[in-house]
Amino acid sequence: MKRAGPVAALAAILVITVVAWLYILQLAAAPAAASGMDMASMSGMDTTNMAGMDMTGMDMAGMASDASPWGLPEWAGLFTMWTVMMVAMMLPTATPSILLFQRVTQQRRGDAATLPVALFTSGYLLAWAGFSAVAATAQWQIHNLTFIALVGDRTRGLLSGLLLLAAGWYQWTPLKAACLSRCRSPLSLFMGRWPEGGGATLVLGIRHGADCVACCALLMTLLFVGGVMNLMWVAGLAVLVLLEKLMPRGALIGRLAGVGLMVWGLAAVLGSWRS
């Protein structure tokens, strides 16, 4: 019976992740039909070339293709899209932490602790839902202010390069290292005051999720560069975060990726000035 807990947790994580990725694939294949709105224009994705990324000009250019303003229903669609993407990309990386929490809880309670594990995981995802709300609001405002339509290719290229430079630089900062360390090994968080009750367990999950948001948020903003619904870009970032958080030399992998992002960003900035 003691093995039923982790097996059930792994099965639940797998099911949720697969459903989230299937939803993303559905949006990419039929964005308007899947959401009731033109998700292709919102994401800046050219559905005729899903792997194509315009790194010399922000891939958000498509966001302003529809002149009509977006209201709350469109914001809700954006929020849903971002939240599902974060679930698909980030939940697998939290699997070791969830299983560790399950094991510690089981040792303390003597059972599979299904409800506490569900609450902890929900708290983790709530933290990423908060990030999704910010990202959706930014995308919504960019469209409504017609910002991308008002700037030229040079400015879009410059913004792309600056985002890449910022994300690459952050990979080398002490804050990134500290947050990544807590994401990779949350035992110190668990060894503090153990949560008593559902509310405290949910807050513990939010705290762990907040560490992961602080660790990976700048990488997630690169979806604005490569295309919010560009499957190759989404998958690439997901793999990078997975390697960074789960591989034995994950911190080194992240820093090497940071160097690549900074080189890429510098090339985009220089290219914008030559255009």
Side-chain angles (χ1 to χ4, degrees):
M1 291 300 295
K2 289 186 176 182
R3 297 183 61 86
V7 170
L10 280 171
I13 291 169
L14 178 62
V15 169
I16 294 170
T17 301
V18 168
V19 170
W21 276 105
L22 288 175
Y23 182 83
I24 293 172
L25 290 171
Q26 183 184 21
L27 284 182
S35 64
M37 51 205 268
D38 188 2
M39 300 295 287
S41 66
M42 287 194 301
S43 67
M45 182 186 75
D46 179 1
T47 53
T48 63
N49 182 18
M50 287 177 8
M53 293 178 287
D54 180 8
M55 297 308 297
T56 62
M58 294 192 79
D59 205 32
M60 290 190 296
M63 285 190 224
S65 61
D66 179 5
S68 61
W70 290 339
L72 288 179
E74 286 76 19
W75 181 89
L78 283 171
F79 173 68
T80 300
M81 179 184 70
W82 275 96
T83 300
V84 173
M85 280 198 300
M86 293 306 103
V87 171
M89 297 171 75
M90 299 307 303
L91 183 58
T93 72
T95 299
S97 299
I98 294 170
L99 294 181
L100 176 61
F101 177 81
Q102 188 277 334
R103 186 163 62 251
V104 174
T105 303
Q106 182 175 318
Q107 290 171 352
R108 287 174 173 265
R109 294 168 55 101
D111 57 25
T114 301
L115 180 58
V117 172
L119 288 170
F120 175 80
T121 305
S122 297
Y124 176 85
L125 295 179
L126 275 175
W128 278 105
F131 169 83
S132 299
V134 173
T137 301
Q139 192 171 348
W140 186 61
Q141 287 296 331
I142 287 169
H143 172 88
N144 285 346
L145 296 175
T146 63
F147 172 75
I148 294 299
L150 295 176
V151 300
D153 290 341
R154 174 177 292 184
T155 302
R156 291 197 294 269
L158 178 62
L159 291 172
S160 292
L162 290 177
L163 274 177
L164 287 162
L165 284 169
W169 165 80
Y170 186 69
Q171 294 292 100
W172 286 83
T173 63
L175 178 59
K176 165 74 180 192
C179 293
L180 178 60
S181 177
R182 290 194 295 268
C183 283
R184 288 171 57 90
S185 181
L187 191 59
S188 60
L189 176 66
F190 296 164
M191 291 297 101
R193 183 177 179 180
W194 191 252
E196 298 294 340
T201 303
L202 187 69
V203 169
L204 187 70
I206 292 173
R207 288 176 58 190
H208 182 55
D211 279 333
C212 289
V213 170
C215 176
C216 303
L218 270 177
L219 287 176
M220 295 301 105
T221 65
L222 295 183
L223 289 168
F224 284 118
V225 177
V228 174
M229 284 302 298
N230 184 315
L231 290 182
M232 295 296 292
W233 197 236
V234 172
L237 287 174
V239 169
L240 172 58
V241 173
L242 192 69
L243 293 175
E244 190 177 50
K245 291 179 65 175
L246 301 188
M247 292 295 289
R249 302 299 298 274
L252 177 61
I253 293 172
R255 290 183 175 182
L256 292 176
V259 172
L261 290 173
M262 285 189 283
V263 171
W264 201 346
L266 182 60
V269 170
L270 294 176
S272 70
W273 286 109
R274 289 197 301 267
S275 61

